[in-house]
Amino acid sequence: MRNLWHSFWDIFDPYRRGPLFHKYGWKGVLFIAAGTYFLYRWYVGPRHCPFAGVLWLMTIGIHEAGHPIFRFISGGNFVWTIWGGTVMELGVPILAYLSFLRRGREIQADICLLLLSIACYSVGHYAGCSLDPVISLLNAGPETLPDWDYMHKWLGTEGYEWHFRHAFYGLSAFLAALGVYLTAVHFWNWTNPDGHNYNDDDDGHDRFFSRG
């Protein structure tokens, strides 16, 4: 059982360098918690996040590509064709993230977390599209229904659109805060591998990101 557990954990941290390649101190936990809260409030606040809407365009192409790919793989199965967009949108950054982790490419893996955050925002937006008076659909005809109109029926989650939307928004905010923090940590460690002190003092201020 122990070997099985280690084999599973090797997928995420093959070099045993701590959670997501970094051991968090109180400053890291505080930054991630605060970042998650404020990003979430930004997403759902009265002044809705326009920047996130622009970033959404970065993953919607992957989503749209997923429909024909899964239609081809499934032999034209309608259910898999619909699911294919969301599966691809979330799956591509996850697989890229795991691939970079396996190769020890920390900064590249961090960027994939940010892309996954954008994908979660996009999925949340469409998971709750029935809550919006107007919804824009790409690559759709006049009678095309949003993917999540079907998916909520298949999952038996009709009536929980608000919960799905905000769960994905919360996950997006967390991944964005985590990705920003880890990118800063790993960039600092990359440019300062020996941990030297630029200020020639011992207060550790210029090692903020790499010390607990």
Side-chain angles (χ1 to χ4, degrees), residues 20-42:
L20 298 180
F21 287 0
H22 186 72
K23 295 184 181 297
Y24 308 106
W26 67 267
K27 289 173 286 191
V29 172
L30 180 62
F31 178 90
I32 294 167
T36 299
Y37 173 78
F38 286 111
L39 277 172
Y40 173 77
R41 297 310 307 171
W42 190 28

Side-chain angles (χ1 to χ4, degrees), residues 8 12 20 50 53 55 63 89 91 94 105 110 118 126 174 176 182 186 190 203:
F8 171 77
F12 301 97
L20 298 180
L55 294 177
H63 176 107
E89 190 170 6
I94 289 173
R105 302 287 186 176
D110 301 335
I118 297 168
Y126 281 106
F174 169 73
L182 289 177
H186 294 140
W190 178 54
D203 59 14

Side-chain angles (χ1 to χ4, degrees), residues 87-128:
V87 170
M88 280 282 289
E89 190 170 6
L90 295 176
V92 167
I94 289 173
L95 291 176
Y97 168 75
L98 293 176
S99 175
F100 283 124
L101 281 189
R102 291 293 302 168
R103 290 183 283 162
R105 302 287 186 176
E106 296 171 332
I107 295 176
Q108 292 91 331
D110 301 335
I111 293 172
C112 290
L113 280 182
L114 296 175
L115 293 176
L116 181 58
S117 168
I118 297 168
C120 287
Y121 175 88
S122 173
V123 172
H125 175 70
Y126 281 106

Side-chain angles (χ1 to χ4, degrees), residues 131-151:
L131 304 172
D132 301 325
V134 178
I135 187 73
S136 297
L137 298 177
L138 298 180
N139 193 28
E143 298 183 1
T144 302
L145 296 176
D147 295 351
W148 278 90
D149 277 18
Y150 299 107
M151 291 158 63

Side-chain angles (χ1 to χ4, degrees), residues 4 35 41 46 50 79 83 91 97 105 134 140-141 147 156-157 160-162 175-176 182 184 194 208 211:
L4 181 61
R41 297 310 307 171
V79 173
W83 274 103
Y97 168 75
R105 302 287 186 176
V134 178
D147 295 351
T157 54
Y160 294 92
E161 291 85 355
W162 186 94
L175 291 172
L182 289 177
D194 58 356
F208 180 88
R211 291 291 183 271

Side-chain angles (χ1 to χ4, degrees), residues 42-110:
W42 190 28
Y43 288 165
V44 303
R47 294 183 178 180
H48 197 60
C49 177
F51 185 56
V54 172
L55 294 177
W56 159 77
L57 294 174
M58 297 174 63
T59 64
I60 197 65
I62 299 175
H63 176 107
E64 291 302 324
H67 291 307
I69 289 174
F70 273 73
R71 181 170 61 244
F72 175 77
I73 293 173
S74 67
N77 182 276
F78 179 74
V79 173
W80 277 109
T81 299
I82 294 297
W83 274 103
T86 299
V87 170
M88 280 282 289
E89 190 170 6
L90 295 176
V92 167
I94 289 173
L95 291 176
Y97 168 75
L98 293 176
S99 175
F100 283 124
L101 281 189
R102 291 293 302 168
R103 290 183 283 162
R105 302 287 186 176
E106 296 171 332
I107 295 176
Q108 292 91 331
D110 301 335

